[in-house]
Structure formats: structure tokens, C-alpha cells
Amino acid sequence: MAVRALYIVSNLIIIALNLYMTRVINTKKDMTTLKYVEPAPMGSSEEPKLVTTTVHSYDLQQLRSGWKGLLMGVGMMGVMHLYMKYTNPLLIQSIIPLKGAFESNLVKVHLFGQPAIGDLKRPWKAAGGMMGMGGGSEPKADKKSIEEAEKAGRGGVKEE
């Protein structure tokens, strides 16, 4: 019973953090233009595309992906715990997502007030997937990549 309570409290903290981050991002409403080249999905024959957006939109997009990750984790734990009767993963899933939420780039920039330079400069590198795989392709924001994408006509439509 205590492990269930810990899991629920952990997820409530993450939900509260995400709601607070939404409020902070909407309050700042940084409309600075952000251009980057989004890599093609792994294994596809698509070309990388140019994305032109604002810091505000980019941060909200990153927050949305955090919400999706939280809901996927809760859904998987619901199946594992309620259907398969596993309780051991509840303890691990009480700690790891909470740690991940507080170590996310959004929290570092907006909650802890760290400047968005170096590793915290947008666009952020995608976190590695299972066992560090999947982190190979990252968005490119260097001038050369952006100019090549603009000349090739790949994207460039402002996302809103």
C-alpha cells in the first residue's frame, strides 16, 4: 500500500511541476524566433526539414512531449500493476520519472533559472532512448545547416 501511495504522490508532483511549467512558459511568452534543422526519422528516406518556430512554441512542444511520456508511463504501470499484479516496478517508477522531470532542460531553464547557453541552448538534444540508443540524430541549429535546408526548400513554414 505504501508503494502505491509513493507512486501516486510522485506522479502528482510531476503533474504539479508540469502545470507550473506551463504557467511560467505562458507568462514569459518568449517570442524569439528559433530556426533549426530537424533530422529525418531513423530508417526513413525523408530529407531533414527546416523548422522555424518561437522559443515559446518550442518550450510548449517539449512540455507536451513530457506530458505524453508521463501518460505512457502511467498507462504501462496501470497494465502491469492492475492487470498483471506486479508491484515491484511501482517503486522504481516512483523515483525515475521524478528524477527525470527535475533534470529536464525545461525545468533547468524556467524553474532553476539557468541561462540557456551551452547544453541548455535550444534546440535541445533528444534524450537517449532505451539503453542510450536513439540519441544519434539531433536537431542542428548551426548557420550552415539552416542555409542548406533553406536552399533545398525543405520546410521553413512557421509552426504555431
Side-chain angles (χ1 to χ4, degrees), residues 33-37 48-52 142-157:
T33 301
L34 177 66
K35 281 186 177 184
Y36 61 96
V37 178
K49 72 173 189 176
L50 177 68
V51 177
T52 304
D142 59 290
K143 196 171 185 174
K144 181 181 175 189
S145 298
I146 292 172
E147 286 175 359
E148 286 176 7
E150 284 175 341
K151 286 178 186 174
R154 298 186 301 252
V157 178

Side-chain angles (χ1 to χ4, degrees), residues 3-5 8 12 24-25 42 46 49 57 71 88 91 95 99 109 116-117 131 134 140 142 147 150:
V3 176
R4 287 181 190 162
I8 291 170
L12 289 176
V24 168
I25 291 168
M42 212 157 134
E46 294 178 22
K49 72 173 189 176
S57 296
L71 293 175
N88 292 345
L91 179 63
I95 300 166
K99 179 182 175 282
V109 169
I117 55 174
M131 296 183 273
K140 295 179 183 172
D142 59 290
E147 286 175 359
E150 284 175 341

Side-chain angles (χ1 to χ4, degrees), residues 37-39 124-126 135-140:
V37 178
E38 193 173 84
W124 295 313
K125 296 177 185 175
S137 60
E138 57 191 54
K140 295 179 183 172

Side-chain angles (χ1 to χ4, degrees), residues 39-145:
M42 212 157 134
S44 78
S45 60
E46 294 178 22
E47 293 284 323
K49 72 173 189 176
L50 177 68
V51 177
T52 304
T53 185
T54 63
V55 170
H56 178 256
S57 296
Y58 182 79
D59 287 352
L60 287 177
Q61 176 188 2
Q62 295 298 311
L63 193 60
R64 244 179 260 118
S65 69
W67 277 109
K68 288 178 187 175
L70 175 69
L71 293 175
M72 285 291 281
V74 168
M76 289 174 60
M77 285 309 303
V79 168
M80 288 178 68
H81 181 66
L82 299 174
Y83 183 69
M84 297 181 192
K85 307 292 185 214
Y86 289 133
T87 54
N88 292 345
L90 284 177
L91 179 63
I92 300 297
Q93 289 301 313
S94 300
I95 300 166
I96 293 175
L98 192 60
K99 179 182 175 282
F102 279 100
E103 289 179 349
S104 74
N105 290 330
L106 274 174
V107 171
K108 287 178 184 175
V109 169
H110 292 291
L111 186 66
F112 298 141
Q114 294 181 7
I117 55 174
D119 285 346
L120 295 178
K121 187 173 183 195
R122 294 170 186 89
W124 295 313
K125 296 177 185 175
M130 284 188 95
M131 296 183 273
M133 298 187 316
S137 60
E138 57 191 54
K140 295 179 183 172
D142 59 290
K143 196 171 185 174
K144 181 181 175 189
S145 298

Side-chain angles (χ1 to χ4, degrees), residues 1-11 90 94:
M1 190 66 180
V3 176
R4 287 181 190 162
L6 180 66
Y7 181 72
I8 291 170
V9 168
S10 169
N11 280 304
L90 284 177
S94 300

